[in-house]
Amino acid sequence: MASAAITLAAEAPKLSSANTGFMLICSALVLLMTPGLAFFYGGMVRVKSTLNMLMMSFISIGVVTILWVLYGFSLAFGSSNGFIGYNSDWLGLSNVGLTELWDGYTIPIFVFMVFQMMFAVITPALISGAIADRVKFSAWALFVALWLTVVYVPVAHWVWGADGWAYKLGVIDFAGGTAVHINAGAGALGVILVIGKRVGFKRDPMRPHSLPLVMLGAGLLWFGWFGFNAGSWLGNDDGVGALMFVNTQVATAAAMLAWLAYEKIRHGAFTTLGAASGAVAGLVAITPSGGAVSPMGAIAVGAIAGVGCAAAVGLKYKFGFDDSLDVVGVHMVGGILGSLLIGLFASGKGQSDVEGLFYGGGMHQFWIQCAGVFAVLFYSLIVSAILAFLLDKTIGMRVTEDEEVSGIDQAEHAETAYDFSGAGGGLSGGSLSSATETKKVDA
């Protein structure tokens, strides 16, 4: 018995400075994704809504960070039951040792906590793109707090908690296809069905005011997503994180090319917005599946998501729901596709030995993925709609029609994104001076 105890002690995980440092870098990369999202969304709206779009992402950083420390982490990752967790030592991080390890891994609890915090930060921020131009900032901040508590935290526990029902069922979600993207996309649909359309929807063009900002945001998202995806294996000891890194790049490239090809055939042009949106669609789809598929499978996942999401963004015009910046079409649809395609393309040589239909595994995993996907979708859709309805009937969710038409930036933030008042005078003066000097030389 003594020798067995010594063997077990020797096999217990020890803190790895390499994995700890890697995960801290990944946490910073995931945080960078939220400002990247702010630029991505900020460029897609009209000038009069730019600052509000940026602030809707930034306020999520503030609200979610505090709530995650107070109780979010405890409820999401503590052990209690299959639907919600709890650990009193993690409330306010009151009894967490500096070198206390996350169970079964070589990184401290603090590191795992802060990595997951960044996931919790960006998920409600994703919803903001669907409700651009028309929501009170105070109502949005309160919605973020409530949504984190009653939607994100339980779903994260289902999918990633050691005793979560979806985790125990065998639902594969490497880095957030269900917990982040389907969750946010379905939540966005629930909210917009309650608060209604923008003034001028289907009548005014509502074109992006700055495609360079969109591309900057997409580039920051792509960069940060390597931390989001590769970091979700929580270490570098067996090569799975490296596979996920490779598949993230491969699927994103395939989705961008597929989206561009689709819109060239359908609409006759390769657009900048299409390239950025296609890249994000690929990032979304590979998030749940990248640890389970091969690089060739990642190409298939990305290409399918690129075409599928490009086709899906037009559904808002067909069905009449105003998803301002295509959160439903990209994140919900991309998350569904990426999650379900695991049941077809899982190779059995990545994060687990689970094989999909095309690798001889039959349809078993596909039906498991369906259970996770549709449970999260309907829960988030219904509860998000209820939250939006309650807020709308109490404090009101929308700004007035006059404020929306004149510009939500000025109404809610007393600022504008761009001030050209000084630029014109300076240029005019410079031109006049140059012309005068030219006349003197000619004389």
Side-chain angles (χ1 to χ4, degrees), residues 75-76 78-85 151-172 178-179 365 367-380:
L75 298 182
S79 295
S80 179
N81 57 64
F83 295 93
I84 194 69
V151 179
Y152 182 80
V153 163
V155 170
H157 183 75
W158 298 354
V159 175
W160 292 322
D163 57 351
W165 70 263
Y167 181 85
K168 292 169 72 174
L169 181 64
V171 175
I172 294 175
T178 54
Q365 188 63 36
W367 298 122
I368 291 176
Q369 296 301 117
C370 284
V373 162
F374 291 107
V376 172
L377 192 157
F378 288 117
Y379 178 79
S380 182

Side-chain angles (χ1 to χ4, degrees), residues 82-96:
F83 295 93
I84 194 69
Y86 180 73
N87 186 324
S88 60
D89 289 342
W90 297 348
L91 292 174
L93 306 179
S94 54
N95 288 299
V96 178

Side-chain angles (χ1 to χ4, degrees), residues 37 40-41 44 53 122-132 140 147 180-190 192 259 277 280-281 284 309 312-313 316 321-336:
L37 180 73
F40 182 69
Y41 282 167
M44 290 175 70
M53 206 71 260
I122 196 171
T123 306
L126 292 171
I127 298 173
S128 65
I131 55 177
W140 167 249
W147 193 86
V180 176
H181 297 291
I182 296 173
N183 203 6
L189 181 59
I192 58 183
W259 187 301
S277 299
V280 173
V284 169
C309 292
V313 296
K316 63 184 179 183
F321 60 89
D322 185 8
D323 175 16
S324 306
L325 308 183
D326 302 321
V327 179
V328 176
V330 174
H331 292 276
M332 190 181 84
V333 173
I336 291 171

Side-chain angles (χ1 to χ4, degrees), residues 43-364:
M44 290 175 70
V45 295
R46 292 166 289 180
V47 170
K48 62 184 180 180
S49 303
T50 306
L51 293 180
N52 181 252
M53 206 71 260
L54 297 175
M55 282 292 287
M56 289 176 85
S57 286
F58 268 78
I59 196 64
S60 183
I61 299 175
V63 171
V64 173
T65 294
I66 301 304
L67 297 184
W68 193 252
V69 169
L70 292 177
Y71 61 82
F73 178 64
S74 172
L75 298 182
F77 289 97
S79 295
S80 179
N81 57 64
F83 295 93
I84 194 69
Y86 180 73
N87 186 324
S88 60
D89 289 342
W90 297 348
L91 292 174
L93 306 179
S94 54
N95 288 299
V96 178
L98 288 178
T99 58
E100 186 178 351
L101 298 183
W102 183 244
D103 190 28
Y105 291 88
T106 59
I107 60 173
I109 291 176
F110 275 125
V111 174
F112 179 77
M113 181 281 301
V114 80
F115 181 67
Q116 290 295 334
M117 175 194 289
M118 304 313 178
F119 280 65
V121 162
I122 196 171
T123 306
L126 292 171
I127 298 173
S128 65
I131 55 177
D133 300 332
R134 59 200 189 274
V135 172
K136 293 178 182 177
F137 187 69
S138 55
W140 167 249
L142 182 55
F143 176 83
V144 168
L146 295 173
W147 193 86
L148 174 84
T149 304
V150 300
V151 179
Y152 182 80
V153 163
V155 170
H157 183 75
W158 298 354
V159 175
W160 292 322
D163 57 351
W165 70 263
Y167 181 85
K168 292 169 72 174
L169 181 64
V171 175
I172 294 175
D173 185 354
F174 194 97
T178 54
V180 176
H181 297 291
I182 296 173
N183 203 6
L189 181 59
V191 175
I192 58 183
L193 291 177
V194 170
I195 68 170
K197 308 173 183 66
R198 288 169 291 178
V199 175
F201 176 66
K202 288 188 178 181
R203 185 185 71 233
D204 300 336
M206 301 183 182
R207 289 186 292 267
H209 90 278
S210 176
L211 288 169
L213 269 187
V214 174
M215 293 298 280
L216 172 64
L220 289 172
L221 283 168
W222 195 332
F223 177 68
W225 222 294
F226 289 112
F228 192 81
N229 280 358
S232 290
W233 200 239
L234 306 183
N236 278 315
D237 299 324
D238 57 9
V240 175
L243 173 67
M244 185 54 157
F245 193 107
V246 170
N247 284 345
T248 298
Q249 178 68 12
V250 169
T252 306
M256 180 179 67
L257 296 176
W259 187 301
L260 288 172
Y262 175 88
E263 69 175 5
K264 175 64 175 176
I265 295 169
R266 185 74 186 271
H267 304 295
F270 303 112
T271 69
T272 308
L273 183 60
S277 299
V280 173
L283 290 164
V284 169
I286 203 62
T287 291
S289 58
V293 303
S294 69
M296 291 301 294
I299 293 176
V301 169
I304 292 168
V307 173
C309 292
V313 296
L315 294 178
K316 63 184 179 183
Y317 300 110
K318 181 176 182 180
F319 294 108
F321 60 89
D322 185 8
D323 175 16
S324 306
L325 308 183
D326 302 321
V327 179
V328 176
V330 174
H331 292 276
M332 190 181 84
V333 173
I336 291 171
L337 289 173
S339 298
L340 295 184
L341 288 173
I342 293 170
L344 304 181
F345 292 107
S347 67
K349 297 178 181 179
Q351 68 184 91
S352 71
D353 60 2
V354 171
E355 295 177 334
L357 176 64
F358 298 153
Y359 288 80
M363 292 292 287
H364 178 69

